[in-house]
Structures are given as C-alpha cells and as structure tokens.
C-alpha cells in the first residue's frame, strides 16, 4: 500500500537537495543509493559529460516475473530557478516552498511517485513485467538529458512520464513538435539625420515582417510566437541589424512546416521591399506525439484508472517535455499529472492527497500492463 507519511517525508528530503539543471550530482547520488537500497542496479549514462553537466541520466531496470510489455517510468531530476536552498513547509494538506524559491515538485513529485511505486510493488509482492525507471537530467530549458540518453539500454515499449499538472488522472496524450527559429535581419547603417536615404532600417523590415505574420494560436493544433527582439545602437543611427528569436509549434508536422515557411517568407518579403537581407534558421527542438484512442497504452490507462478510482482525462498539451523525445525514439509514451501546481513560480505547491494518489495510479498502471 502507498504510504503517505513515507512519501511526504521523502519528498521533503528530495526537495531540500539543490538540483539545478546540469548540477544534479547530489540528487543522482541520493536516488542511486535509495534504489540500490531496494536491491536494484542503477546505470548512469554519459549524457552529463556530453552536455556539460555533473551527472548523467539514471536508468534502473527492474526485472519482472510476468511476460508483459516492458514499460518505462520517467521523471526528471533537475528543477527550475530560483531553486537553491529550497525550504519546503507543510501547511495543512499542502506542501509549499517558503516563498523565496520554487518548491521543486516539478519534477521531484514525479521522482517520489516512481520511488514509492517501486517500493509498493516489492512490499506487496505485486506481479509485474519489466520496468525501466529513468531519472533524467537537464529537462528544464531543453530536454537535454532525454535527447542525449543512452538508448541502447532502453527496451521498453510504453512510457509513462510523471511530469504534468492537473487533477490526478489527467494525461497528456498529444503534444506539438516545436521549431526554434533564429532570425537576423540586416539593413544598412547611416546617419539618421544627415543622410537617412543611404540607410536601410532593419527595424522597419522586422516590424513589417512581424505585422504581416500569423502568430498566437494559428489553428487548433498550431501556435507561433515572436519571443525576443534585439538590436540598434542609437537614435541617430539607422539600425542595420535586428536579431529575432521565435518559435512555432504544431501537432501536425506539415502544418508546422507551413507555419515556419510562412514566417520565413514574411521576413524575406519585407527585406526585399526595403533592400535588406535576412538570415533565417529553424531547428526542430522536439517531435510531436499523437496517441490515438484505440492505442493499447490508452487501454492500459483506462483499466488502471478504473482500478485506482481515478477519473481519466485524456488531453492535448501545448507544451514540450521528455515525453516528446521518447516518443520520437519509438517508445509510445504519455505524460501524467502528479498534481504539481503553479510550477516555475515561488508559489508552487502540491496537494499531499494528489501526491499519494499519483503513486496509487502508477501502481495500478503497472498492474494493468
Ligand atoms: Zn517538469
Ligand atoms: Ca518544468
């Protein structure tokens, strides 16, 4: 049975460990010793060395006695900022930070949920198939741990990522791919008062391009945003260079390509009109995933929800997570809510009932495979 006291105690312990992105060493060592304490073997890959971090992804394969499809349980070890010196406090049914940092429930509640589920399997002698528990590094800011993971060690067929918000039973089954877009708009400098005719304003090119662009929610599964604009030196100089950082997302790859091309054309047309130039670079950050209602992983979730008395809510998210990366690696995966709330703010909190419920749901999932 899921043990509430044990979960709260261990969650508080984990949250107090500083574990910023690329600085997960202490967290990795703590988790390793906990898993080894359960009699499990932990493999640490070399992703940390490859991305300039001090710890790798942890992969812990738990052999099962049942011949069912192997599954992946996943949570990330790093936390967002401000996240050093975290001091969690229990207030009634909630665990919160002391208001000076984030809490770190994103994603240490996911980590705790997996640890508790593994313990419960053993204690209660629950029959299960092979389970691969994976704790990634550097999810925040780029999914770098999942992107650089040693996939030769992974043979799971289905993935359950514990890293989402909402009521327990909320599961993200669809998420967009994202293109990261970097643009340099080039004009020509000239004195703005004496000979403006000789200049080409990169600001004007950029402005016209952006004004003509479809942005925001482009359609039901596509979004786009201009996030950062920088450039210019002084009011008396025609600006000759503007840098733009933007993104486009869609659950449909063809639509993503179309939106990206549209943004490129807006810049190019404006540059041509004013006699400037554009360097437009687009890079796929992560692929989309679209789990269908008839997929086996949904049947597993349905059986588990019924068993755990959880209301299953299958939804689409606009965000990206490690779930996108492992789907891209051929492991059909979904992202489950662990009840984390107001993440990436100093008001972050988690409801203790949700924390325990998420572990009960995860145990039910393992049974339902
Ligand atoms: Zn997260
Ligand atoms: Ca996050």
């Amino acid at each position: 049975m899921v043990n509430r006291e044990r979960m709260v105690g261990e969650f508080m312990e984990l949250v107090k460990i500083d574990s910023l992105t690329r600085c997960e060493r202490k967290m990795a060592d703590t988790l390793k010793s906990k898993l080894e304490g359960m009699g499990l073997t932990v493999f640490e890959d070399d992703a940390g060395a490859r991305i300039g971090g001090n710890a790798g992804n942890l992969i812990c394969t738990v052999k099962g006695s049942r011949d069912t499809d192997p599954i992946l349980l996943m949570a990330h070890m790093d936390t967002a900022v401000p996240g050093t010196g975290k001091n969690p406090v229990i207030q009634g049914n909630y665990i919160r930070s002391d208001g000076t940092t984030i809490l770190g429930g994103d994603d240490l509640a996911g980590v705790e949920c997996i640890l508790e589920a593994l313990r419960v399997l053993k204690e209660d002698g629950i029959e299960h198939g092979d389970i691969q528990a994976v704790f990634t590094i550097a999810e925040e800011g780029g999914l770098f741990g999942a992107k650089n993971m040693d996939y030769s060690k992974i043979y799971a067929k289905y993935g359950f990522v514990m890293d989402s918000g909402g009521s327990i039973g909320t599961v993200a089954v669809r998420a967009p791919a994202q293109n990261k877009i970097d643009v340099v708009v080039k004009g020509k400098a000239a004195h703005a008062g004496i000979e403006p005719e000789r200049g080409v304003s990169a600001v004007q090119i950029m402005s016209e391009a952006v004004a003509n662009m479809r942005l925001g929610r482009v359609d039901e599964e596509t979004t786009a945003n201009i996030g950062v604009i920088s450039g210019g030196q002084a009011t008396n100089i025609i600006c000759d260079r503007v840098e733009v950082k933007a993104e486009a997302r869609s659950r449909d790859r063809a639509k993503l390509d179309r939106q990206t091309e549209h943004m490129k054309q807006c810049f190019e047309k404006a540059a041509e009109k004013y006699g400037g130039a554009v360097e437009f670079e687009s890079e796929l950050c992560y692929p989309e995933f679209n789990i269908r209602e008839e997929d086996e992983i949904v049947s597993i979730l349905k059986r588990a929800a019924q068993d755990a008395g959880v209301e299953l809510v299958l939804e689409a998210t606009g965000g990206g997570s490690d779930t996108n990366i492992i789907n891209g690696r051929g492991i059909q995966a979904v992202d489950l809510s662990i009840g984390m709330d107001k993440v990436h703010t100093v008001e972050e909190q988690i409801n203790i009932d949700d924390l325990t419920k998420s572990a009960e749901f995860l145990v039910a999932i393992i049974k339902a495979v």
Side-chain angles (χ1 to χ4, degrees):
M1 244 174 56
V2 168
N3 184 321
R4 184 184 174 97
E5 263 59 55
R6 181 168 65 191
M7 282 194 84
V8 170
E10 191 173 58
F11 176 70
M12 299 285 279
E13 176 198 340
L14 293 178
V15 164
K16 283 177 192 157
I17 299 170
D18 288 348
S19 191
L20 294 184
T21 305
R22 292 189 174 82
C23 298
E24 302 92 347
R25 184 72 265 155
K26 200 166 171 223
M27 184 62 70
D29 288 340
T30 303
L31 297 185
K32 250 187 200 173
S33 81
K34 284 177 183 292
L35 292 161
E36 284 165 1
M38 293 181 214
L40 301 169
T41 308
V42 183
F43 170 80
E44 181 175 340
D45 74 9
D46 65 351
R50 282 194 270 150
I51 65 165
N54 64 5
N57 299 301
L58 302 184
I59 301 171
C60 175
T61 300
V62 187
K63 284 285 176 190
S65 57
R66 242 176 26 183
D67 187 26
T68 46
D69 291 322
I71 59 167
L72 190 73
L73 310 181
M74 201 163 173
H76 63 91
M77 295 189 281
D78 63 316
T79 64
V81 289
T84 46
K86 298 190 290 319
N87 182 31
V89 287
I90 301 176
Q91 292 171 333
N93 210 16
Y94 281 87
I95 305 174
R96 299 190 168 97
S97 76
D98 65 6
T100 63
T101 67
I102 51 134
L103 172 63
D106 174 10
D107 189 24
L108 299 173
V111 170
E112 176 52 28
C113 177
I114 295 172
L115 290 177
E116 180 67 10
L118 294 179
R119 265 190 306 253
V120 169
L121 291 183
K122 203 172 172 198
E123 284 173 358
D124 295 0
I126 295 169
E127 288 239 315
H128 60 84
D130 285 6
I131 297 168
Q132 299 197 284
V134 172
F135 301 100
T136 55
I137 54 168
E139 188 267 358
E140 301 290 354
L143 318 175
F144 301 110
K147 283 182 181 174
N148 289 282
M149 187 148 73
D150 181 354
Y151 285 91
S152 72
K153 297 284 186 293
I154 306 290
Y155 60 93
K157 183 168 180 195
Y158 301 119
F160 300 91
V161 180
M162 313 306 290
D163 186 21
S164 185
S167 60
I168 303 304
T170 305
V171 184
V173 291
R174 291 181 292 148
Q178 184 189 154
N179 276 344
K180 183 178 165 295
I181 296 166
D182 285 292
V183 189
V184 179
V185 179
K186 290 176 175 168
K188 189 167 178 288
H191 192 291
I194 298 171
E195 46 181 10
E197 302 76 8
R198 294 189 56 179
V200 174
S201 169
V203 170
Q204 238 175 335
I205 295 171
M206 177 275 295
S207 304
E208 186 155 318
V210 173
N212 287 327
M213 222 172 266
R214 289 192 299 271
L215 293 169
R217 193 170 296 284
V218 174
D219 65 42
E220 196 252 330
E221 48 191 2
T222 310
T223 58
N225 184 49
I226 303 286
V228 181
I229 287 172
S230 51
Q233 298 165 73
T235 63
N236 63 357
I237 305 172
I238 304 275
C239 174
D240 67 345
R241 184 184 171 96
V242 171
E243 293 180 13
V244 180
K245 291 185 187 303
E247 61 159 62
R249 305 182 188 212
S250 183
R251 298 198 299 271
D252 181 318
R253 193 70 71 89
K255 283 182 180 175
L256 178 64
D257 291 345
R258 260 202 310 279
Q259 173 64 23
T260 306
E261 184 58 31
H262 159 71
M263 293 166 84
K264 185 179 181 197
Q265 277 174 13
C266 286
F267 279 110
E268 285 176 347
K269 263 189 203 148
E272 204 187 310
K273 177 172 165 187
Y274 292 97
V278 166
E279 279 171 17
F280 186 98
E281 273 175 34
S282 163
E283 188 196 6
L284 182 72
C285 283
Y286 47 77
E288 72 284 359
F289 65 92
N290 289 293
I291 309 288
R292 292 158 308 167
E293 181 76 30
E294 61 269 29
D295 287 334
E296 174 57 19
I297 193 167
V298 173
S299 308
I300 293 169
L301 288 167
K302 282 180 179 168
R303 289 196 294 274
Q306 196 165 29
D307 181 28
V310 156
E311 192 199 343
L312 189 64
V313 181
L314 303 178
E315 64 172 28
T317 173
S321 71
D322 284 351
T323 322
N324 293 68
I325 302 301
I326 57 172
N327 270 288
R329 303 294 303 220
I331 303 157
Q332 200 172 50
V334 295
D335 194 0
L336 284 83
S337 170
I338 44 171
M340 58 192 191
D341 188 26
K342 298 185 197 168
V343 297
H344 294 210
T345 78
V346 295
E347 283 151 34
E348 186 188 350
Q349 60 179 13
I350 193 159
N351 181 310
I352 297 172
D353 290 338
D354 285 346
L355 188 64
T356 55
K357 196 78 205 163
S358 69
E360 284 164 7
F361 188 31
L362 185 55
V363 170
I365 288 170
I366 294 165
K367 285 196 213 168
V369 175

